[in-house]
């Protein structure tokens, strides 16, 4: 039988909008400083199993010297469908954060280039989790003069493994980065594992 759809029993649509703004001061030396401001405007909606998010982000810096990195972008624009068997499929522009952020990070204090256009498939079960990604490396089209090359740069990523409560969450990880642009042409692969957990007051990663 086909899996049932996750969502509100009454099937009512839900819509919310919001604005957030963060400011921080960074002092890098006796006479060197900068103020960073990041503002987001977002709207999200859901109707039964279908959901979506659109977020526009503005990032500005001011300081004792000329500071690069100010920008304006649509950081999220995606739709998704969630099923009650734990399957979640999402497509559009989105940010990703895996584990401790070393391989994929959505650190919001990066100026730009965190969002990617692609597809995400996730499966969550009581003792197992899986996430698969395909996305274009579209940050080149927004941050550099290489927009003609962006369509030929792709990344495929997979992580999956057991979820044993607080004691252990373990993932096998594989990431393949391909750039088929003329004059560049390369494929790089990263394979490994990441585990984390906690027991009482002790937490650990490996």
């Amino acid at each position: 039988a086909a899996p049932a759809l996750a969502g509100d029993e009454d099937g009512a649509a839900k819509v919310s909008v919001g604005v957030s703004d963060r400011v921080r001061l960074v002092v890098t030396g006796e006479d060197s400083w900068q103020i960073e401001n990041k503002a987001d405007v977002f709207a999200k909606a859901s109707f039964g199993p279908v959901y979506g998010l659109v977020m526009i982000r503005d990032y500005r810096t001011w300081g004792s010297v000329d500071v690069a990195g100010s920008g304006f972008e649509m950081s999220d624009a995606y739709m998704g469908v969630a099923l009650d068997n734990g399957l979640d499929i999402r497509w559009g522009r989105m940010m990703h954060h895996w584990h401790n952020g070393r391989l994929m990070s959505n650190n919001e204090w990066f100026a730009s280039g965190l969002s990617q256009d692609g597809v995400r498939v996730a499966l969550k079960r009581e003792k197992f989790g899986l996430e698969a990604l395909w996305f274009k490396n579209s940050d080149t089209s927004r941050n550099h003069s290489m927009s003609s090359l962006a369509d030929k740069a792709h990344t495929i990523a997979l992580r999956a493994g057991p979820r044993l409560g607080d004691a252990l969450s373990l993932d096998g990880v594989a990431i393949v980065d391909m750039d088929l642009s003329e004059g560049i042409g390369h494929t790089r692969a990263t394979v490994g594992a990441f585990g984390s957990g906690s027991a009482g007051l002790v937490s650990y990663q490996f």
Side-chain angles (χ1 to χ4, degrees):
L5 300 177
D8 300 328
E9 292 183 0
D10 58 7
K14 294 183 178 181
V15 179
S16 61
V17 295
V19 178
S20 64
D21 188 85
R22 285 88 67 213
V23 180
R24 73 173 182 174
L25 171 65
V26 179
V27 178
T28 56
E30 183 176 351
D31 298 316
S32 179
W33 57 271
Q34 67 186 55
I35 296 174
E36 302 178 11
N37 180 79
K38 182 160 286 190
D40 295 332
V41 178
F42 65 87
K44 57 183 178 180
S46 63
F47 183 75
V50 181
Y51 62 91
L53 170 70
V54 175
M55 184 166 70
I56 298 173
R57 171 165 290 178
D58 183 79
Y59 177 89
R60 302 289 161 183
T61 58
W62 303 268
S64 57
V65 297
D66 291 337
V67 181
S70 296
F72 181 84
E73 67 176 356
M74 181 173 290
S75 59
D76 287 278
Y78 62 77
M79 293 185 61
V81 178
L83 307 180
D84 69 353
N85 63 0
L87 181 64
D88 188 316
I89 303 174
R90 182 184 301 176
W91 61 93
R93 174 165 293 182
M94 65 196 89
M95 293 182 281
H96 308 287
H97 189 94
W98 280 15
H99 308 122
N100 59 5
R102 188 178 67 85
L103 296 177
M104 293 190 190
S105 174
N106 60 358
N107 183 341
E108 65 174 15
W109 289 109
F110 290 165
S112 59
L114 297 176
S115 305
Q116 306 291 351
D117 300 329
V119 178
R120 171 185 177 268
V121 178
L123 178 65
K124 292 184 179 180
R125 296 294 181 88
E126 182 179 357
K127 296 186 181 299
F128 177 80
L130 175 149
E131 184 176 5
L133 306 174
W134 167 82
F135 56 82
K136 297 194 303 181
N137 292 335
S138 54
D139 58 322
T140 56
S141 63
R142 296 198 302 280
N143 299 328
H144 305 289
S145 58
M146 299 176 62
S147 58
S148 61
L149 305 180
D151 289 340
K152 297 183 179 180
H154 305 269
T155 296
I156 299 172
L158 174 68
R159 63 171 177 169
R163 307 289 186 261
L164 306 179
D166 294 336
L168 179 64
S169 177
L170 181 63
D171 270 337
V173 179
I175 300 175
V176 179
D177 176 48
M178 298 171 287
D179 190 337
L180 306 180
S181 305
E182 185 177 353
I184 299 178
H186 69 250
T187 299
R188 296 175 296 188
T190 300
V191 179
F194 183 90
S196 63
S198 63
L201 298 177
V202 179
S203 60
Y204 39 87
Q205 295 181 353
F206 57 92

